[in-house]
Amino acid sequence: MGLFDDLSRFLENRLEEFLRNNPHLELEALLEQLREQEEGTLKLIADLQLQEKRSQEEILSTAQEIQRWHIRIQKAKNAGREDLATAAGEREAALLREGNQRWGHMQGLKERINQSQELLRKIQQRRQEVQAKAAQAQTARAKAQTQQRFETSGWSNQTSSYSSSFDDLEEKFRSWETQDELEQMKRNLGK
């Protein structure tokens, strides 16, 4: 068991070190994590909104039932049937309690939707910030690579221009040395 813990710690340390040495990859990993959080939050909001819609339908149905029983109470009282009016009143009271509970549940759902939307807004804002940092890092990396290529090509260009000027100089010296040797031969022949 200790070996696996050691190996796990070692791999985590290597990963952290790798990400520190490659900050653009760390930003990409963070972006992916934020995308997943955003997707999860969007799914949660959609689920909560569906629950809210069902809750509203249940409340409407309960309100219609309450109205129906209220009318029955009046009918029973008008007909002199207090026994039915009392039972209908109890049913109406139970439906009112149920409606109040459903209303409270719906209000809780609305609050959770608002909180989730606020969380989504923060996640999206954070993702934009990280995307901006990633773009800056990308630009900086590209600039560094361009600079490195420029410096590398600068050295090779300097070498080639040095080599070509060296070849020109070599040619001049050979020509001068050949001319000098001819002059020497002429003098030697003239003696």
Side-chain angles (χ1 to χ4, degrees):
M1 191 71 176
L3 178 64
F4 289 115
D5 290 339
D6 290 344
L7 179 62
S8 177
R9 270 194 304 277
F10 172 77
L11 292 174
E12 285 175 17
N13 290 339
R14 292 295 143 242
L15 178 61
E16 288 173 10
E17 182 181 327
F18 178 76
L19 290 176
R20 274 194 308 273
N21 293 335
N22 298 285
H24 64 284
L25 295 178
E26 185 175 16
L27 289 173
E28 287 177 24
L30 183 56
L31 271 175
E32 183 59 32
Q33 184 182 24
L34 288 168
R35 273 189 217 103
E36 289 173 6
Q37 287 178 354
E38 183 177 5
E39 187 177 306
T41 304
L42 284 170
K43 285 179 183 177
L44 175 64
I45 290 171
D47 182 51
L48 289 171
Q49 287 174 334
L50 184 62
Q51 288 180 40
E52 179 188 24
K53 183 173 172 52
R54 284 189 202 132
S55 184
Q56 287 171 346
E57 290 169 357
E58 290 171 354
I59 289 170
L60 182 59
S61 174
T62 303
Q64 289 170 344
E65 274 295 297
I66 291 169
Q67 188 177 19
R68 191 166 68 97
W69 283 100
H70 188 72
I71 292 169
R72 286 183 169 176
I73 292 170
Q74 293 305 318
K75 278 185 183 179
K77 282 183 179 180
N78 291 341
R81 297 284 315 259
E82 283 301 317
D83 58 327
L84 288 177
T86 303
E90 289 171 5
R91 174 70 60 94
E92 181 185 36
L95 286 169
L96 282 169
R97 284 191 300 276
E98 183 181 323
N100 283 337
Q101 288 175 345
R102 289 183 185 205
W103 184 264
H105 178 70
M106 186 185 69
Q107 292 303 318
L109 288 171
K110 284 184 178 193
E111 182 60 31
R112 287 184 61 200
I113 289 170
N114 289 338
Q115 290 171 350
S116 298
Q117 288 172 334
E118 179 63 22
L119 175 63
L120 177 64
R121 189 187 62 73
K122 288 178 180 178
I123 290 170
Q124 289 171 336
Q125 182 180 4
R126 179 73 175 129
R127 195 173 100 176
Q128 287 175 346
E129 291 168 1
V130 172
Q131 282 176 327
K133 281 184 182 179
Q136 287 174 344
Q138 179 75 17
T139 303
R141 227 173 57 240
K143 192 175 183 180
Q145 288 173 347
T146 303
Q147 181 66 28
Q148 186 178 14
R149 273 191 238 118
F150 175 74
E151 289 172 359
T152 304
S153 66
W155 278 103
S156 65
N157 287 347
Q158 286 176 354
T159 304
S160 64
S161 71
Y162 177 74
S163 295
S164 66
S165 64
F166 179 74
D167 291 344
D168 290 344
L169 184 61
E170 180 73 23
E171 191 62 37
K172 286 178 184 175
F173 263 93
R174 284 185 184 167
S175 174
W176 175 68
E177 288 170 344
T178 306
Q179 194 68 31
D180 189 47
E181 282 180 30
L182 281 173
E183 294 290 326
Q184 281 263 340
M185 290 175 147
K186 284 182 188 175
R187 275 186 253 140
N188 286 340
L189 284 177
K191 284 187 180 178

